Coordinates of all heavy atoms in Angstrom, one line a residue:
M1 N 64.2 81.3 110.7 CA 65.5 81.6 110.2 C 66.2 80.5 109.4 O 67.1 80.8 108.6 CB 66.4 82.1 111.4 CG 66.1 83.4 112.0 SD 66.0 84.8 110.8 CE 67.7 85.2 110.6
A2 N 65.8 79.3 109.6 CA 66.5 78.2 108.9 C 66.2 78.2 107.5 O 67.0 77.7 106.7 CB 66.1 76.9 109.5
N3 N 65.1 78.8 107.1 CA 64.7 78.9 105.6 C 65.3 80.0 104.8 O 65.2 80.1 103.7 CB 63.2 78.9 105.5 CG 62.6 77.6 106.0 OD1 63.2 76.5 105.9 ND2 61.3 77.7 106.4
A4 N 66.0 80.9 105.5 CA 66.5 82.1 104.9 C 67.8 81.8 104.1 O 68.1 82.4 103.1 CB 66.8 83.2 105.8
A5 N 68.6 80.8 104.5 CA 69.9 80.5 103.8 C 69.7 80.0 102.4 O 70.3 80.4 101.5 CB 70.7 79.5 104.7
P6 N 68.7 79.0 102.1 CA 68.6 78.6 100.8 C 68.0 79.7 99.8 O 68.5 79.8 98.7 CB 67.5 77.5 100.8 CG 67.7 77.0 102.2 CD 68.0 78.2 103.1
I7 N 67.2 80.6 100.4 CA 66.7 81.6 99.6 C 67.8 82.6 99.2 O 67.9 83.0 98.1 CB 65.6 82.4 100.3 CG1 64.4 81.5 100.5 CG2 65.2 83.7 99.6 CD1 63.3 82.1 101.4
F8 N 68.7 82.9 100.1 CA 69.9 83.8 99.8 C 70.8 83.1 98.9 O 71.3 83.7 97.9 CB 70.6 84.1 101.2 CG 71.9 84.9 100.9 CD1 71.7 86.2 100.6 CD2 73.1 84.3 101.0 CE1 72.9 86.9 100.4 CE2 74.3 85.0 100.9 CZ 74.1 86.4 100.5
A9 N 71.0 81.8 98.9 CA 71.9 81.1 98.0 C 71.3 81.2 96.6 O 72.1 81.3 95.7 CB 72.1 79.6 98.5
Y10 N 70.0 81.0 96.4 CA 69.5 81.0 95.1 C 69.5 82.5 94.6 O 69.8 82.6 93.4 CB 68.0 80.6 95.2 CG 67.8 79.1 95.4 CD1 66.9 78.7 96.4 CD2 68.6 78.2 94.8 CE1 66.7 77.3 96.6 CE2 68.5 76.8 95.0 CZ 67.5 76.4 96.0 OH 67.4 75.1 96.2
A11 N 69.4 83.4 95.4 CA 69.5 84.8 94.9 C 70.9 85.1 94.5 O 71.1 85.8 93.5 CB 69.1 85.8 96.1
V12 N 71.9 84.6 95.2 CA 73.3 84.9 94.8 C 73.6 84.1 93.5 O 74.3 84.7 92.6 CB 74.3 84.4 96.0 CG1 75.7 84.4 95.4 CG2 74.1 85.2 97.2
R13 N 73.1 82.9 93.4 CA 73.3 82.2 92.1 C 72.6 82.8 90.9 O 73.3 83.0 89.8 CB 72.7 80.7 92.3 CG 73.0 79.9 91.0 CD 72.2 78.7 91.0 NE 70.8 79.1 90.7 CZ 69.7 78.3 90.8 NH1 69.9 77.0 91.1 NH2 68.5 78.7 90.6
D14 N 71.5 83.4 91.2 CA 70.8 84.1 90.0 C 71.6 85.4 89.7 O 71.7 85.7 88.4 CB 69.4 84.5 90.5 CG 68.5 83.3 90.6 OD1 68.8 82.2 90.1 OD2 67.4 83.4 91.3
V15 N 72.1 86.1 90.6 CA 72.9 87.3 90.3 C 74.2 86.9 89.5 O 74.5 87.6 88.5 CB 73.2 88.1 91.5 CG1 74.2 89.2 91.3 CG2 72.0 88.7 92.1
I16 N 74.9 85.9 90.0 CA 76.0 85.4 89.3 C 75.7 84.9 87.8 O 76.5 85.3 86.9 CB 76.7 84.3 90.0 CG1 77.3 84.9 91.4 CG2 77.8 83.6 89.2 CD1 77.9 83.8 92.3
E17 N 74.6 84.2 87.6 CA 74.2 83.8 86.3 C 73.9 85.0 85.4 O 74.2 85.0 84.2 CB 73.1 82.8 86.4 CG 73.5 81.4 86.8 CD 72.4 80.5 86.8 OE1 71.3 80.8 86.2 OE2 72.5 79.3 87.3
L18 N 73.3 86.0 86.0 CA 72.9 87.2 85.2 C 74.2 87.9 84.8 O 74.3 88.4 83.6 CB 72.0 88.1 86.0 CG 71.6 89.5 85.4 CD1 70.8 89.2 84.1 CD2 71.0 90.4 86.3
I19 N 75.2 88.0 85.7 CA 76.4 88.7 85.3 C 77.1 87.9 84.2 O 77.7 88.5 83.3 CB 77.3 88.8 86.6 CG1 76.7 89.9 87.5 CG2 78.7 89.2 86.2 CD1 77.4 89.9 88.9
L20 N 77.2 86.6 84.3 CA 77.8 85.7 83.3 C 77.0 85.9 82.0 O 77.7 85.8 80.9 CB 77.9 84.3 83.7 CG 78.9 84.0 84.8 CD1 78.8 82.6 85.3 CD2 80.3 84.2 84.3
L21 N 75.7 86.0 82.0 CA 74.9 86.1 80.8 C 75.2 87.4 80.1 O 75.5 87.4 78.9 CB 73.4 86.0 81.1 CG 72.5 86.2 79.9 CD1 72.7 85.1 78.9 CD2 71.1 86.3 80.4
V22 N 75.3 88.5 80.8 CA 75.6 89.8 80.2 C 77.0 89.7 79.6 O 77.3 90.2 78.5 CB 75.5 90.9 81.3 CG1 76.1 92.2 80.8 CG2 74.0 91.1 81.7
F23 N 78.0 89.1 80.4 CA 79.4 89.0 79.9 C 79.4 88.2 78.6 O 80.1 88.6 77.7 CB 80.2 88.4 81.0 CG 81.6 88.0 80.5 CD1 82.6 89.1 80.4 CD2 82.0 86.8 80.2 CE1 83.9 88.7 79.9 CE2 83.3 86.5 79.8 CZ 84.2 87.5 79.6
A24 N 78.7 87.1 78.6 CA 78.7 86.2 77.4 C 78.1 87.0 76.2 O 78.7 86.9 75.1 CB 77.9 84.9 77.7
L25 N 77.0 87.7 76.4 CA 76.4 88.4 75.3 C 77.3 89.5 74.8 O 77.3 89.7 73.5 CB 75.0 88.9 75.7 CG 73.9 87.8 76.0 CD1 72.7 88.5 76.5 CD2 73.7 87.0 74.8
I26 N 77.9 90.2 75.6 CA 78.8 91.3 75.2 C 80.0 90.7 74.4 O 80.3 91.2 73.3 CB 79.3 92.1 76.4 CG1 78.1 92.9 77.0 CG2 80.4 93.0 76.0 CD1 78.5 93.6 78.3
V27 N 80.6 89.7 74.9 CA 81.8 89.1 74.3 C 81.4 88.5 72.9 O 82.0 88.8 71.9 CB 82.4 88.0 75.1 CG1 83.4 87.1 74.4 CG2 83.2 88.6 76.3
Q28 N 80.3 87.8 72.9 CA 79.9 87.2 71.6 C 79.4 88.2 70.6 O 79.7 88.1 69.4 CB 78.8 86.1 71.9 CG 79.3 84.9 72.6 CD 78.2 84.0 73.1 OE1 77.0 84.1 72.6 NE2 78.4 83.1 74.0
G29 N 78.7 89.2 71.1 CA 78.2 90.3 70.2 C 79.3 91.1 69.6 O 79.4 91.4 68.4
I30 N 80.3 91.5 70.5 CA 81.4 92.3 69.9 C 82.2 91.4 68.9 O 82.7 91.9 67.8 CB 82.3 92.7 71.1 CG1 81.6 93.8 71.9 CG2 83.7 93.3 70.6 CD1 82.3 94.3 73.1
A31 N 82.5 90.2 69.2 CA 83.3 89.3 68.3 C 82.5 89.1 67.0 O 83.1 89.2 65.9 CB 83.5 87.9 68.9
L32 N 81.1 89.0 67.0 CA 80.4 88.8 65.8 C 80.4 90.1 64.9 O 80.6 90.0 63.8 CB 79.0 88.4 66.1 CG 78.0 88.2 64.9 CD1 78.5 87.0 64.1 CD2 76.6 87.8 65.4
V33 N 80.2 91.2 65.6 CA 80.2 92.5 64.8 C 81.6 92.7 64.2 O 81.7 93.1 63.1 CB 79.8 93.6 65.7 CG1 80.1 95.0 65.1 CG2 78.3 93.5 66.1
H34 N 82.6 92.4 65.0 CA 84.0 92.6 64.4 C 84.3 91.6 63.3 O 84.8 92.0 62.3 CB 85.0 92.3 65.5 CG 86.5 92.6 65.1 ND1 87.2 91.7 64.5 CD2 87.1 93.8 65.1 CE1 88.4 92.3 64.2 NE2 88.4 93.5 64.5
A35 N 83.8 90.4 63.3 CA 84.0 89.4 62.3 C 83.3 89.9 61.0 O 83.8 89.7 59.9 CB 83.6 88.0 62.7
I36 N 82.1 90.4 61.2 CA 81.3 90.9 60.0 C 81.9 92.1 59.3 O 81.9 92.1 58.1 CB 79.8 91.2 60.4 CG1 79.1 89.9 60.9 CG2 79.1 91.9 59.4 CD1 77.8 90.1 61.6
T37 N 82.6 92.9 60.1 CA 83.1 94.2 59.5 C 84.5 94.0 58.9 O 85.0 95.0 58.3 CB 83.2 95.3 60.5 OG1 84.0 94.8 61.6 CG2 81.7 95.6 61.0
Q38 N 85.1 92.8 58.9 CA 86.5 92.7 58.4 C 86.5 92.2 57.0 O 85.4 91.6 56.5 CB 87.2 91.6 59.3 CG 87.4 92.1 60.7 CD 88.1 93.4 60.8 OE1 89.2 93.6 60.3 NE2 87.5 94.4 61.5
R39 N 87.6 92.3 56.3 CA 87.7 91.9 54.9 C 87.8 90.4 54.9 O 88.4 89.8 55.8 CB 88.9 92.5 54.3 CG 88.9 94.0 54.2 CD 90.1 94.5 53.4 NE 91.2 93.5 53.3 CZ 92.5 93.9 53.5 NH1 92.8 95.1 53.6 NH2 93.4 92.9 53.3
S40 N 87.3 89.8 53.9 CA 87.3 88.3 53.8 C 88.7 87.8 53.5 O 89.1 86.7 53.9 CB 86.4 87.8 52.7 OG 85.1 88.1 53.0
D41 N 89.5 88.5 52.7 CA 90.8 88.0 52.4 C 91.8 88.1 53.5 O 92.9 87.5 53.4 CB 91.4 88.7 51.1 CG 91.5 90.2 51.4 OD1 90.9 90.7 52.3 OD2 92.2 90.9 50.6
A42 N 91.5 88.8 54.6 CA 92.4 88.9 55.7 C 92.5 87.6 56.6 O 93.5 87.3 57.2 CB 92.1 90.1 56.6
F43 N 91.4 86.9 56.6 CA 91.3 85.7 57.5 C 92.3 84.6 57.1 O 93.1 84.1 57.9 CB 89.9 85.2 57.6 CG 89.0 86.0 58.5 CD1 88.4 87.1 57.9 CD2 88.9 85.8 59.8 CE1 87.6 88.0 58.7 CE2 88.0 86.6 60.6 CZ 87.4 87.7 60.0
P44 N 92.3 84.2 55.7 CA 93.4 83.3 55.3 C 94.8 83.7 55.5 O 95.7 82.9 55.6 CB 93.0 82.9 53.9 CG 91.6 83.4 53.7 CD 91.4 84.4 54.7
A45 N 94.9 85.0 55.4 CA 96.3 85.6 55.5 C 96.9 85.4 56.8 O 98.1 85.3 56.9 CB 96.3 87.1 55.1
I46 N 96.1 85.3 57.9 CA 96.7 85.1 59.2 C 96.6 83.6 59.6 O 97.0 83.3 60.7 CB 96.0 85.9 60.2 CG1 94.5 85.6 60.4 CG2 96.2 87.4 60.0 CD1 93.8 86.3 61.6
G47 N 96.1 82.8 58.7 CA 96.1 81.3 58.9 C 95.0 80.8 59.9 O 95.3 80.0 60.7
T48 N 93.8 81.4 59.7 CA 92.7 80.9 60.6 C 91.5 80.5 59.7 O 91.6 80.4 58.5 CB 92.3 82.0 61.5 OG1 91.3 81.6 62.4 CG2 91.8 83.3 60.8
L49 N 90.4 80.2 60.3 CA 89.2 79.8 59.6 C 88.8 81.0 58.7 O 89.1 82.2 59.0 CB 88.1 79.5 60.6 CG 88.2 78.3 61.4 CD1 87.0 78.3 62.4 CD2 88.1 77.1 60.6
P50 N 88.1 80.7 57.6 CA 87.6 81.8 56.7 C 86.6 82.7 57.5 O 86.0 82.2 58.5 CB 86.9 81.1 55.5 CG 86.9 79.7 55.9 CD 87.7 79.4 57.0
K51 N 86.3 83.8 56.9 CA 85.3 84.8 57.5 C 84.0 84.1 57.8 O 83.4 84.3 58.9 CB 85.2 86.0 56.7 CG 84.3 87.0 57.2 CD 84.2 88.2 56.3 CE 83.2 89.2 56.8 NZ 83.2 90.5 56.0
G52 N 83.5 83.4 56.8 CA 82.1 82.7 56.9 C 82.1 81.7 58.1 O 81.1 81.6 58.7
G53 N 83.2 81.0 58.3 CA 83.2 80.1 59.4 C 83.2 80.7 60.7 O 82.5 80.3 61.6
W54 N 83.9 81.8 60.9 CA 83.8 82.5 62.2 C 82.5 83.1 62.4 O 81.9 83.1 63.5 CB 84.9 83.6 62.3 CG 86.2 83.1 62.7 CD1 87.3 82.9 61.9 CD2 86.6 82.6 64.0 NE1 88.3 82.3 62.7 CE2 87.9 82.1 64.0 CE3 85.8 82.4 65.2 CZ2 88.5 81.5 65.0 CZ3 86.5 81.8 66.3 CH2 87.8 81.4 66.2
I55 N 81.9 83.7 61.3 CA 80.6 84.4 61.5 C 79.6 83.3 61.8 O 78.7 83.5 62.7 CB 80.2 85.1 60.2 CG1 81.1 86.3 60.1 CG2 78.7 85.5 60.2 CD1 80.9 87.1 58.7
A56 N 79.7 82.1 61.2 CA 78.7 81.0 61.6 C 78.8 80.6 63.0 O 77.8 80.4 63.7 CB 78.9 79.9 60.6
I57 N 80.1 80.3 63.4 CA 80.3 79.9 64.8 C 79.8 80.9 65.8 O 79.0 80.5 66.7 CB 81.8 79.6 65.0 CG1 82.2 78.4 64.2 CG2 82.1 79.4 66.5 CD1 83.7 78.2 64.1
L58 N 80.1 82.2 65.6 CA 79.8 83.2 66.6 C 78.3 83.4 66.5 O 77.7 83.7 67.6 CB 80.6 84.4 66.3 CG 82.1 84.3 66.5 CD1 82.8 85.6 65.9 CD2 82.4 84.1 68.0
A59 N 77.7 83.4 65.4 CA 76.2 83.7 65.3 C 75.4 82.5 65.9 O 74.5 82.8 66.7 CB 75.8 83.8 63.8
V60 N 75.8 81.3 65.7 CA 75.1 80.2 66.3 C 75.3 80.2 67.8 O 74.2 80.0 68.5 CB 75.6 78.8 65.7 CG1 75.1 77.6 66.6 CG2 75.2 78.7 64.3
C61 N 76.4 80.5 68.3 CA 76.7 80.5 69.7 C 75.8 81.7 70.4 O 75.3 81.5 71.5 CB 78.1 80.8 70.1 SG 79.1 79.3 69.7
L62 N 75.8 82.8 69.7 CA 75.0 83.9 70.2 C 73.6 83.6 70.3 O 72.8 83.9 71.3 CB 75.3 85.2 69.3 CG 74.6 86.5 69.8 CD1 75.2 86.9 71.2 CD2 74.8 87.6 68.9
V63 N 73.0 83.0 69.2 CA 71.6 82.6 69.2 C 71.3 81.6 70.2 O 70.2 81.8 70.9 CB 71.2 82.1 67.8 CG1 69.9 81.5 67.7 CG2 71.2 83.2 66.7
L64 N 72.1 80.6 70.4 CA 71.9 79.6 71.5 C 71.9 80.2 72.8 O 71.2 79.8 73.7 CB 72.9 78.5 71.3 CG 72.7 77.6 70.1 CD1 73.8 76.6 70.1 CD2 71.3 76.9 70.2
T65 N 72.8 81.2 73.1 CA 72.9 81.9 74.4 C 71.6 82.7 74.5 O 71.0 82.7 75.7 CB 74.1 82.8 74.5 OG1 75.2 81.9 74.3 CG2 74.1 83.4 75.8
L66 N 71.1 83.4 73.6 CA 69.9 84.2 73.6 C 68.6 83.4 73.7 O 67.7 83.8 74.3 CB 69.7 85.1 72.4 CG 70.6 86.3 72.3 CD1 70.5 87.0 71.0 CD2 70.3 87.3 73.5
L67 N 68.6 82.1 73.2 CA 67.5 81.2 73.3 C 67.2 80.7 74.7 O 66.2 80.0 74.9 CB 67.5 80.1 72.3 CG 67.3 80.5 70.9 CD1 67.5 79.3 69.9 CD2 65.9 81.1 70.6
G68 N 68.1 81.0 75.6 CA 67.8 80.5 77.0 C 68.7 79.4 77.5 O 68.4 78.9 78.6
F69 N 69.7 79.0 76.7 CA 70.6 78.0 77.2 C 71.4 78.5 78.3 O 71.8 77.8 79.3 CB 71.4 77.4 76.1 CG 70.7 76.4 75.2 CD1 70.2 76.9 73.9 CD2 70.4 75.1 75.6 CE1 69.5 76.0 73.1 CE2 69.7 74.3 74.7 CZ 69.3 74.7 73.5
G70 N 71.7 79.8 78.2 CA 72.4 80.5 79.3 C 73.9 80.3 79.3 O 74.4 79.4 78.6
P71 N 74.6 81.0 80.1 CA 76.1 81.0 80.1 C 76.6 79.8 80.8 O 77.9 79.4 80.6 CB 76.5 82.2 80.7 CG 75.3 82.6 81.7 CD 74.2 82.1 81.0
I72 N 75.8 79.1 81.6 CA 76.3 78.0 82.4 C 76.2 76.7 81.6 O 76.9 75.7 81.9 CB 75.6 77.9 83.8 CG1 75.7 79.2 84.5 CG2 76.1 76.8 84.6 CD1 77.1 79.5 85.0
S73 N 75.4 76.6 80.6 CA 75.2 75.4 79.8 C 76.4 75.1 78.9 O 77.3 76.0 78.8 CB 74.0 75.5 78.9 OG 74.2 76.5 77.9
L74 N 76.4 74.0 78.3 CA 77.6 73.6 77.4 C 77.7 74.5 76.3 O 78.7 75.0 75.9 CB 77.4 72.2 77.0 CG 78.5 71.7 76.1 CD1 79.8 71.6 76.8 CD2 78.1 70.3 75.6
F75 N 76.5 74.9 75.7 CA 76.5 75.8 74.6 C 77.0 77.2 75.0 O 77.7 77.9 74.2 CB 75.1 75.9 74.0 CG 74.6 74.6 73.3 CD1 73.5 74.0 73.7 CD2 75.4 74.1 72.2 CE1 73.1 72.8 73.1 CE2 75.0 72.9 71.7 CZ 73.9 72.3 72.1
G76 N 76.6 77.6 76.2 CA 77.0 79.0 76.7 C 78.5 79.0 76.8 O 79.2 80.0 76.5
L77 N 79.1 78.0 77.4 CA 80.5 78.0 77.7 C 81.3 77.9 76.4 O 82.3 78.5 76.2 CB 80.9 76.8 78.6 CG 80.3 76.9 80.0 CD1 80.6 75.6 80.8 CD2 80.9 78.1 80.7
I78 N 80.8 77.1 75.4 CA 81.4 77.1 74.1 C 81.3 78.4 73.4 O 82.3 78.9 72.8 CB 80.8 76.0 73.2 CG1 81.1 74.6 73.8 CG2 81.2 76.1 71.8 CD1 80.4 73.4 73.1
G79 N 80.3 79.1 73.6 CA 80.1 80.4 73.0 C 81.0 81.4 73.6 O 81.6 82.2 72.9
I80 N 81.2 81.4 74.9 CA 82.1 82.3 75.6 C 83.6 82.0 75.1 O 84.3 82.9 74.8 CB 82.1 82.2 77.1 CG1 80.7 82.7 77.6 CG2 83.2 82.9 77.8 CD1 80.4 82.5 79.1
A81 N 83.9 80.7 75.0 CA 85.2 80.3 74.6 C 85.5 80.7 73.1 O 86.5 81.2 72.8 CB 85.4 78.8 74.7
A82 N 84.5 80.6 72.2 CA 84.7 81.0 70.8 C 84.8 82.5 70.7 O 85.6 83.0 70.0 CB 83.4 80.5 70.0
G83 N 84.0 83.2 71.5 CA 84.1 84.6 71.5 C 85.5 85.1 71.9 O 86.1 86.0 71.4
L84 N 86.0 84.6 73.0 CA 87.2 85.0 73.6 C 88.4 84.5 72.7 O 89.3 85.3 72.5 CB 87.4 84.3 75.0 CG 86.6 85.0 76.0 CD1 86.7 84.2 77.4 CD2 86.9 86.5 76.2
I85 N 88.3 83.4 72.0 CA 89.4 83.0 71.1 C 89.4 83.9 70.0 O 90.5 84.4 69.5 CB 89.1 81.5 70.6 CG1 89.4 80.5 71.7 CG2 90.0 81.2 69.4 CD1 89.0 79.1 71.4
Y86 N 88.2 84.3 69.5 CA 88.2 85.3 68.3 C 88.8 86.6 68.8 O 89.7 87.2 68.1 CB 86.8 85.5 67.7 CG 86.8 86.5 66.6 CD1 87.0 86.0 65.3 CD2 86.6 87.8 66.8 CE1 87.1 86.9 64.3 CE2 86.6 88.7 65.8 CZ 86.9 88.2 64.5 OH 86.9 89.2 63.5
L87 N 88.4 87.1 69.9 CA 88.8 88.5 70.3 C 90.3 88.5 70.7 O 91.0 89.4 70.4 CB 88.0 88.9 71.5 CG 86.5 89.3 71.1 CD1 85.8 89.7 72.4 CD2 86.5 90.4 70.1
L88 N 90.8 87.4 71.3 CA 92.2 87.4 71.9 C 93.2 86.9 70.8 O 94.4 87.1 71.0 CB 92.2 86.6 73.1 CG 91.4 87.2 74.3 CD1 91.4 86.3 75.5 CD2 91.8 88.5 74.6
D89 N 92.7 86.2 69.8 CA 93.7 85.6 68.8 C 93.5 86.2 67.4 O 94.4 86.7 66.8 CB 93.6 84.1 68.9 CG 94.6 83.4 68.0 OD1 95.7 83.9 67.9 OD2 94.3 82.4 67.3
V90 N 92.3 85.9 66.9 CA 92.0 86.3 65.5 C 92.0 87.8 65.4 O 92.6 88.3 64.4 CB 90.7 85.7 65.0 CG1 90.4 86.2 63.6 CG2 90.8 84.2 65.2
R91 N 91.4 88.5 66.2 CA 91.3 90.0 66.1 C 92.7 90.6 66.2 O 93.0 91.5 65.5 CB 90.4 90.6 67.2 CG 90.2 92.1 67.1 CD 89.3 92.6 68.2 NE 89.9 92.6 69.5 CZ 90.6 93.5 70.1 NH1 90.7 94.7 69.4 NH2 91.1 93.4 71.3
V92 N 93.6 90.1 67.1 CA 94.9 90.6 67.2 C 95.7 90.3 65.9 O 96.4 91.2 65.4 CB 95.6 89.9 68.4 CG1 97.1 90.3 68.5 CG2 94.9 90.4 69.7
G93 N 95.5 89.2 65.3 CA 96.1 88.9 64.1 C 95.7 89.8 62.9 O 96.5 90.2 62.1
L94 N 94.4 90.0 62.9 CA 93.9 91.0 61.9 C 94.4 92.4 62.0 O 94.7 93.1 61.1 CB 92.3 90.9 61.9 CG 91.7 89.6 61.5 CD1 90.2 89.7 61.8 CD2 92.0 89.3 60.1
R95 N 94.6 92.8 63.3 CA 95.1 94.1 63.6 C 96.5 94.2 63.2 O 97.0 95.2 62.6 CB 94.9 94.4 65.1 CG 95.5 95.8 65.4 CD 95.3 96.1 66.9 NE 93.9 96.5 67.1 CZ 93.4 96.7 68.3 NH1 94.2 96.7 69.4 NH2 92.1 97.0 68.4
E96 N 97.4 93.1 63.5 CA 98.7 93.1 63.1 C 98.9 93.1 61.6 O 99.9 93.6 61.1 CB 99.5 92.0 63.7 CG 99.6 92.1 65.2 CD 100.3 90.9 65.9 OE1 100.5 90.0 65.2 OE2 100.5 90.9 67.1
L97 N 97.9 92.5 60.9 CA 98.0 92.4 59.4 C 97.8 93.8 58.8 O 98.4 94.1 57.8 CB 97.0 91.4 58.9 CG 96.9 91.1 57.4 CD1 98.2 90.5 57.0 CD2 95.7 90.3 57.0
G98 N 96.9 94.6 59.5 CA 96.6 95.9 59.0 C 97.7 96.9 59.5 O 98.8 96.5 59.7
D99 N 97.3 98.1 59.7 CA 98.2 99.1 60.2 C 98.4 99.1 61.7 O 99.2 99.8 62.2 CB 97.8 100.5 59.7 CG 96.3 100.9 60.2 OD1 95.7 100.1 60.9 OD2 95.9 102.0 59.9
G100 N 97.5 98.3 62.4 CA 97.7 98.3 63.9 C 96.9 99.4 64.6 O 97.0 99.4 65.8
K101 N 96.3 100.2 63.9 CA 95.6 101.4 64.5 C 94.1 101.2 64.3 O 93.6 100.3 63.6 CB 96.0 102.7 63.8 CG 97.5 102.9 64.0 CD 97.9 104.2 63.3 CE 99.3 104.5 63.5 NZ 99.8 105.6 62.9
G102 N 93.4 102.0 64.9 CA 91.9 102.1 64.8 C 91.2 101.5 66.0 O 91.9 100.9 66.9
F103 N 89.9 101.6 66.1 CA 89.1 101.2 67.2 C 89.1 99.7 67.3 O 89.1 99.1 68.3 CB 87.7 101.8 67.1 CG 86.8 101.4 68.2 CD1 87.0 101.9 69.5 CD2 85.8 100.5 68.0 CE1 86.1 101.5 70.5 CE2 85.0 100.1 69.0 CZ 85.1 100.6 70.3
W104 N 88.9 99.0 66.2 CA 88.8 97.6 66.2 C 90.1 96.9 66.2 O 90.3 95.9 66.4 CB 88.0 97.1 64.9 CG 86.5 97.5 65.0 CD1 86.0 98.6 64.4 CD2 85.5 97.0 65.8 NE1 84.7 98.7 64.7 CE2 84.3 97.8 65.5 CE3 85.4 95.9 66.7 CZ2 83.1 97.5 66.2 CZ3 84.2 95.7 67.3 CH2 83.1 96.5 67.0

């Protein structure tokens, strides 16, 4: 029975890492698709990086997460932060610049 605790701990860690990986890929993927589908002239209008800069940042972070660095690594955490910053700040600014309606 003494050997069951470390096995359970590793299983819990693996499940948590899998949940974080799925979360990271969803956030980064949605942010990247949204950045690709927006107009280029809207980004400077809200005072942020240009469209190409956001696409490069989000694409590199998504590729590094997919290559196996995972969500717990430094690259994974930077990728989650970049995706969340885009979705919670830039996307909102782009929505306010437009009509404020629509799925995106």
Side-chain angles (χ1 to χ4, degrees):
M1 284 309 276
N3 293 335
I7 295 172
F8 177 73
Y10 292 134
V12 170
R13 186 194 67 190
D14 291 342
V15 170
I16 291 172
E17 285 185 11
L18 178 65
I19 291 169
L20 286 174
L21 177 65
V22 170
F23 174 74
L25 293 176
I26 288 172
V27 166
Q28 293 171 15
I30 289 173
L32 181 62
V33 169
H34 186 270
I36 290 171
T37 60
Q38 297 304 304
R39 296 186 343 219
S40 296
D41 59 342
F43 286 85
I46 62 170
T48 184
L49 291 173
K51 179 179 179 175
W54 276 111
I55 290 174
I57 291 169
L58 295 170
V60 167
C61 290
L62 183 66
V63 168
L64 289 176
T65 302
L66 283 172
L67 285 179
F69 286 100
I72 304 294
S73 70
L74 180 63
F75 293 121
L77 294 175
I78 290 172
I80 292 172
L84 288 175
I85 288 170
Y86 180 86
L87 290 176
L88 297 175
D89 185 35
V90 177
R91 185 178 69 93
V92 173
L94 293 172
R95 180 179 286 176
E96 289 175 359
L97 184 66
D99 61 357
K101 298 180 182 175
F103 180 72
W104 292 101

